[in-house]
Amino acid sequence: ETGVTQSPTHLIKTRGQQVTLRCSSQSGHNTVSWYQQALGQGPQFIFQYYREEENGRGNFPPRFSGLQFPNYSSELNVNALELDDSALYLCASSLADDGELFFGEGSRLTVL
Amino acid sequence: GIQVEQSPPDLILQEGANSTLRCNFSDSVNNLQWFHQNPWGQLINLFYIPSGTKQNGRLSATTVATERYSLLYISSSQTTDSGVYFCAVPNSNSGYALNFGKGTSLLVTP
């Protein structure tokens, strides 16, 4: 167990809706990053948060946004859901000065 | 960004067999991680190994940073080793992100 927890574990939405996924980082970790994993692919970096600010972003549109809270927990928000947003969303936490990432169990999103 | 290639893409072993998984990367890196993704989707850390060799039970890993590759060795495989193995390295264009390979899908049969 990594100590990184995500919720919900599974959810189903329809096209055009909005979704919020949540992540609690491992104790002592101040950096949170989010990844999208489509079926049969490796995880793709969405963005990273440090000290409540986004400090790195992958090739994802602005309708993917996030927050980090003072306790280092984080949210991923996706607006105007599209069918291709169906994926496993993984949250990872780390220490800012250490590159080792620890992942949660993921939130599996299905968009119909 | 840095490219990560893993081989083989698929592997079937009989329980008790040994295997070697390979990860090639296109540029120099300052860290590398190996993960095992279980059937429920969780990525489990196996090794954080920028260079050298590490061992953990039946698993070991070697990274030769100067030649831009890493190897994951699984000895005396068990059915619980089944799943997808990923290696990941920092993205040179976005230093905070990990670039993952496409993974090696391993099935260990009884």
Side-chain angles (χ1 to χ4, degrees):
Chain A
E1 232 180 80
T2 64
V4 180
T5 59
Q6 293 186 239
S7 63
T9 54
H10 295 80
L11 69 167
I12 300 173
K13 293 284 188 178
T14 56
R15 198 169 44 182
Q17 285 188 311
Q18 178 265 345
V19 68
T20 297
L21 308 178
R22 295 177 175 84
C23 173
S24 293
S25 58
Q26 183 170 326
S27 178
H29 284 183
N30 53 15
T31 302
V32 174
S33 52
W34 287 89
Y35 289 76
Q36 181 196 64
Q37 186 178 19
L39 198 62
Q41 302 295 316
Q44 298 291 315
F45 174 67
I46 303 175
F47 44 57
Q48 177 172 287
Y49 278 82
Y50 171 65
R51 291 186 174 178
E52 303 177 49
E53 291 198 1
E54 182 182 302
N55 72 343
R57 189 177 184 95
N59 189 25
F60 280 82
R63 61 190 184 83
F64 286 77
S65 63
L67 288 171
Q68 185 183 29
F69 301 100
N71 65 355
Y72 304 133
S73 66
S74 177
E75 287 182 356
L76 164 65
N77 300 290
V78 187
N79 294 323
L81 283 167
E82 301 177 358
L83 298 180
D84 285 348
D85 295 333
S86 295
L88 179 67
Y89 289 86
L90 295 160
C91 169
S93 74
S94 60
L95 287 170
D97 296 334
D98 184 327
E100 187 171 11
L101 266 61
F102 295 86
F103 284 84
E105 295 184 358
S107 294
R108 192 170 297 277
L109 171 65
T110 301
V111 182
L112 302 176
Chain B
I2 193 166
Q3 304 298 312
V4 181
E5 293 185 359
Q6 292 187 242
S7 59
D10 301 281
L11 187 58
I12 300 175
L13 297 175
Q14 196 154 22
E15 204 167 22
N18 303 328
S19 63
T20 301
L21 282 57
R22 187 176 180 102
C23 173
N24 292 332
F25 40 95
S26 59
D27 205 347
S28 57
V29 298
N30 58 14
N31 75 62
L32 183 145
Q33 285 190 251
W34 281 98
F35 296 93
H36 174 216
Q37 189 165 43
N38 64 24
W40 297 272
Q42 179 155 22
L43 282 168
I44 299 165
N45 290 42
L46 297 178
F47 295 100
Y48 176 64
I49 182 169
S51 62
T53 296
K54 290 186 177 180
Q55 181 152 10
N56 185 4
R58 296 181 296 103
L59 274 60
S60 65
T62 295
T63 296
V64 183
T66 53
E67 298 188 22
R68 301 178 185 172
Y69 73 89
S70 183
L71 302 174
L72 177 69
Y73 305 95
I74 304 174
S75 64
S76 304
S77 59
Q78 301 176 357
T79 57
T80 52
D81 295 332
S82 297
V84 183
Y85 290 80
F86 290 102
C87 73
V89 299
N91 185 327
S92 56
N93 293 335
S94 176
Y96 313 104
L98 282 183
N99 265 17
F100 283 76
K102 292 187 176 181
T104 292
S105 179
L106 173 64
L107 175 64
V108 181
T109 61

